[in-house]
Amino acid sequence: MRETFVVMRRELVSYFVSPIAYVFGALMLGVLLYYSTEVTLVQGARASLDGFFQWLPFLLLFFVPALTMRLWAEERKLGTLELLMTFPVTIRQLVLGKFAAAVVYLALLLVLTLGLPITLGAYGKLDWPPVLGSYLASLLFASSFVAVGMFWSSLTRDQIIAMLAAMVSLFVLYQLGNPQNVEYANEWMPAWLVDVVSSISPHRYFVSIARGVLDSSHLVYFLCFCGFFLHANALVLQARRQRG
Amino acid sequence: MIEVDRLEKSYGLARALKGISFTVQKGEVLGFLGPNGAGKSTTMKILTGYLLPTDGRASVAGHDVVAESLQVRRRIGYLPESTPLYGEMRVDDYLRFCADIRGVPRGKRTAAIARAVELCGLSRVTGKNIVELSKGFKQRVGLAQAIVHEPDVLILDEPTSGLDPNQIVEVRKLIEKLGSEHTVILSTHYLQEVEKSCTRVIIVNQGKIVADGTQASLLAQSPQGALLLTVRGPEASVLKQFHELLPAGTPVVVTARSGSSLDLRVEVPAGSVPIDEALARLVVKNGWDLLGLARERASLEDVFRRLTLASEPEAAHA
């Protein structure tokens, strides 16, 4: 636990001492707020965050891979991974520490977008509990993307490849849960198969929880999803110790 | 302190270590010598727990490097080849991170960092970002990182490679200082480094140990150094007389002539009785002048070259 925390803290510090955290954060917040305020404030007259949560998954698709691509690839390229792996910490602690740092960073970005609902609440009647539920869901959703991106980063020392692979796989996952695709697939595939395949996609759960419906099964899903990729990540690192 | 028993490591089909065994006692400073690709780094990576061996065992302070990897890693300070550091961090932040992750208790942390900074001469740069430092200072940060938790064993992979001569001298001094408190294994290409700072030398070549001992014992294995003489006398008869005195087949080479004096190099065969006195007497008896007599010192370099080049043809067939 302590080791995980130390790894996480160093990782977070390295986000904020370099321009990455600021440039990345400003860019993501700018794009997100621009599009979502347009949808919520200009087009719609209702006080709701639908536009915001509609745009978020799509943005995360591009931004999370850019954030996670360096997590292992850079350490491997610089050789710092070798030193890191000779510290008295387990691979699991390293993986969790890095994962936690990225999640904390994204949580911070989400907190910074709270200005939007606060503004809405000031001018109209905003139903807060579902909004906060949606925020929590967004964080879970973003975490699942981090787990996928980190996994790809552990497989290569080339950051661009890590980013592209993460984007493609997240895009595929996104499409698997896209309601339109599900509807289309239902026409020519057995319903149970469609159900199984689409239930892999984090997007399927995001759609429902973004409306403020947070089920414990969703929580279990995200835990399993992240757990799967983080475990795979640890196995990759372990295999490299074996192979050299 | 360190026991290595028939350690083997293969990278795919390439066998990097072919059964290496050695032990290191507490307080020893062991120099690991060998050409590139001999298996020095691989051995170190296994001892530090970064790589797993294919076969064989190794232990540090009684803990197996595979089964009790965390125990071993707590007792080791490691400086990998090429000194990887987080450039964007400040020196003091980085050392604090290293102390924390190695479990230096909070109460002792400040003192531990201060000690490492002091030992490595980093006090002027603690507030700087690592990326701004010169190569020599980066190397010192790498060393400070390795000693901040006061490990029993220090493992340094080519700690002076890529430094300029002044920096090399500084880092070497530092290693000597550290050697008085820690058990050290260091790998290097520089033979002077071993001659200066190591109490023991292991030479590896192609995944095997080809020599293990103190410098003196390794030098004793090598042929005696050649004798260098400067004689004033007629060349033909000098050479004739020399050949008569020396065992048959001993090479005598005239390396230089100036006026009537000759510089001669006599290769003394290994294990023969000392002959410098006899040669001196011969020169005087013939009425020539003996202007100089010196013995070429056998160096570790000779031993190294002889041991690592001898097996080269074998490699060509492998």
Side-chain angles (χ1 to χ4, degrees):
Chain A
M1 192 63 203
R2 190 191 60 81
E3 288 87 351
T4 308
F5 180 75
V6 173
V7 173
M8 182 195 85
R9 198 178 49 194
R10 194 213 71 78
E11 197 71 33
L12 265 180
V13 166
S14 85
Y15 283 16
F16 285 97
V17 292
S18 68
I20 299 175
Y22 306 102
V23 172
F24 184 88
L27 213 63
M28 179 160 157
L29 288 182
V31 174
L32 186 61
L33 291 179
Y34 175 77
Y35 282 107
S36 53
T37 43
E38 157 134 341
V39 173
T40 31
L41 297 182
V42 180
Q43 294 175 3
R46 290 182 307 126
S48 99
L49 283 170
D50 287 356
F52 178 79
F53 290 115
Q54 211 175 308
W55 272 99
L56 189 69
F58 201 63
L59 269 174
L60 290 175
L61 197 64
F62 291 99
F63 277 98
V64 171
L67 180 74
T68 56
M69 65 180 185
R70 46 171 282 282
L71 288 179
W72 297 113
E74 190 184 35
E75 296 242 20
R76 238 180 111 198
K77 193 159 194 174
L78 293 177
T80 46
L81 185 60
E82 179 175 346
L83 195 54
L84 199 58
M85 285 177 71
T86 60
F87 288 145
V89 289
T90 61
I91 288 177
R92 189 174 298 222
Q93 289 165 336
L94 288 178
V95 172
L96 277 179
K98 274 185 181 279
F99 174 70
V103 170
V104 166
Y105 173 72
L106 286 169
L108 210 68
L109 285 189
L110 281 175
V111 165
L112 289 177
T113 67
L114 280 174
L116 187 65
I118 288 170
T119 312
L120 284 175
Y123 290 99
K125 193 174 159 351
L126 187 70
D127 199 5
W128 274 99
V131 168
L132 293 179
S134 299
Y135 263 97
L136 181 63
S138 303
L139 187 61
L140 288 173
F141 187 71
S143 306
S144 68
F145 278 29
V146 169
V148 173
M150 241 175 95
F151 166 73
W152 283 111
S153 183
S154 74
L155 283 172
T156 169
R157 62 183 86 206
D158 190 319
Q159 297 192 29
I160 301 300
I161 290 177
M163 181 177 78
L164 292 177
M167 273 185 192
V168 169
S169 55
L170 288 176
F171 184 72
V172 170
L173 281 171
Y174 170 80
Q175 290 298 353
L176 286 181
N178 188 337
Q180 284 171 344
N181 293 341
V182 171
E183 209 173 299
Y184 171 69
N186 266 325
E187 289 172 15
W188 54 278
M189 270 164 71
W192 64 268
L193 188 61
V194 175
D195 199 44
V196 167
V197 171
S198 72
S199 68
I200 298 171
S201 168
H203 191 257
R204 177 169 137 154
Y205 305 90
F206 184 73
V207 174
S208 67
I209 46 186
R211 296 198 188 102
V213 188
L214 192 58
D215 199 315
S216 62
S217 71
H218 296 151
L219 212 61
V220 171
Y221 165 78
F222 281 109
L223 279 178
C224 291
F225 187 93
C226 292
F228 175 82
F229 279 99
L230 295 180
H231 186 64
N233 193 330
L235 288 181
V236 169
L237 296 178
Q238 180 64 30
R240 199 161 288 130
R241 276 184 79 201
Q242 189 86 52
R243 210 178 44 215
Chain B
M1 187 51 89
I2 298 170
E3 279 176 45
V4 175
D5 183 21
R6 283 163 292 178
L7 207 57
E8 292 189 24
K9 177 72 188 173
S10 302
Y11 299 114
L13 288 175
R15 290 177 68 202
L17 292 184
K18 303 170 185 166
I20 276 188
S21 305
F22 63 90
T23 57
V24 185
Q25 304 299 325
K26 194 171 158 58
E28 268 187 309
V29 179
L30 172 69
F32 229 43
L33 273 176
N36 282 327
K40 305 182 297 276
S41 291
T42 302
T43 308
M44 294 182 149
K45 283 174 185 180
I46 291 173
L47 286 177
T48 54
Y50 176 59
L51 290 182
L52 299 173
T54 312
D55 202 3
R57 295 165 55 83
S59 67
V60 175
H63 297 282
D64 187 88
V65 294
V66 178
E68 300 166 289
S69 182
L70 289 183
Q71 297 284 348
V72 169
R73 288 188 246 165
R74 270 187 204 110
R75 288 167 173 78
I76 276 184
Y78 178 39
L79 177 66
E81 204 179 339
S82 79
T83 322
L85 299 165
Y86 296 109
E88 76 277 7
M89 289 181 93
R90 276 169 41 153
V91 173
D92 49 357
D93 288 338
Y94 178 65
L95 292 179
R96 191 169 310 124
F97 162 68
C98 294
D100 280 343
I101 202 161
R102 271 151 167 166
V104 175
R106 221 152 242 270
K108 292 184 185 164
R109 192 178 65 188
T110 314
I113 294 170
R115 173 182 161 274
V117 164
E118 160 77 36
L119 261 174
C120 300
L122 288 168
S123 49
R124 279 196 296 128
V125 298
T126 46
K128 282 198 176 166
N129 285 348
I130 292 173
V131 72
E132 295 164 15
L133 301 178
S134 69
K135 201 149 190 217
F137 267 109
K138 279 185 191 151
Q139 200 72 9
R140 293 196 212 174
V141 174
L143 283 165
Q145 159 280 124
I147 60 168
V148 72
H149 55 304
E150 301 197 34
D152 297 336
V153 177
L154 261 180
I155 296 184
L156 313 172
D157 199 351
E158 299 193 12
T160 56
S161 76
L163 299 180
D164 73 32
N166 291 335
Q167 294 166 335
I168 289 181
V169 171
E170 280 173 25
V171 169
R172 242 177 237 165
K173 271 189 201 148
L174 181 53
I175 292 171
E176 261 168 66
K177 230 187 317 178
L178 297 175
S180 59
E181 294 173 37
H182 307 267
T183 304
V184 181
I185 300 184
L186 67 90
S187 74
T188 179
H189 297 298
Y190 298 109
L191 294 131
Q192 310 98 302
E193 199 153 289
V194 173
E195 291 179 353
K196 290 228 170 74
S197 38
C198 298
T199 56
R200 197 173 132 212
V201 182
I202 285 179
I203 301 180
V204 283
N205 193 35
Q206 296 175 12
K208 283 185 197 143
I209 291 181
V210 290
D212 179 354
T214 61
Q215 282 176 50
S217 71
L218 290 186
L219 289 178
Q221 287 177 25
S222 76
Q224 284 179 47
L227 280 181
L228 304 172
L229 299 100
T230 309
V231 177
R232 191 183 290 142
E235 183 172 340
S237 55
V238 169
L239 286 176
K240 185 166 167 286
Q241 297 272 345
F242 268 46
H243 278 301
E244 276 170 18
L245 178 77
L246 293 163
T250 308
V252 179
V253 184
V254 181
T255 53
R257 299 176 180 86
S258 61
S260 57
S261 71
L262 303 165
D263 287 345
L264 297 161
R265 188 166 191 280
V266 181
E267 294 278 356
V268 186
S272 71
V273 288
I275 46 167
D276 21 2
E277 253 177 72
L279 282 175
R281 244 181 273 123
L282 177 77
V283 172
V284 175
K285 198 182 78 188
N286 283 284
W288 308 321
D289 298 320
L290 182 60
L291 303 177
L293 173 62
R295 183 188 285 274
E296 219 176 43
R297 203 174 76 90
S299 70
L300 215 44
E301 200 146 349
D302 297 328
V303 182
F304 178 79
R305 298 268 293 276
R306 198 166 49 82
L307 288 170
T308 55
L309 290 178
S311 43
E312 206 83 322
E314 185 196 335
H317 296 291

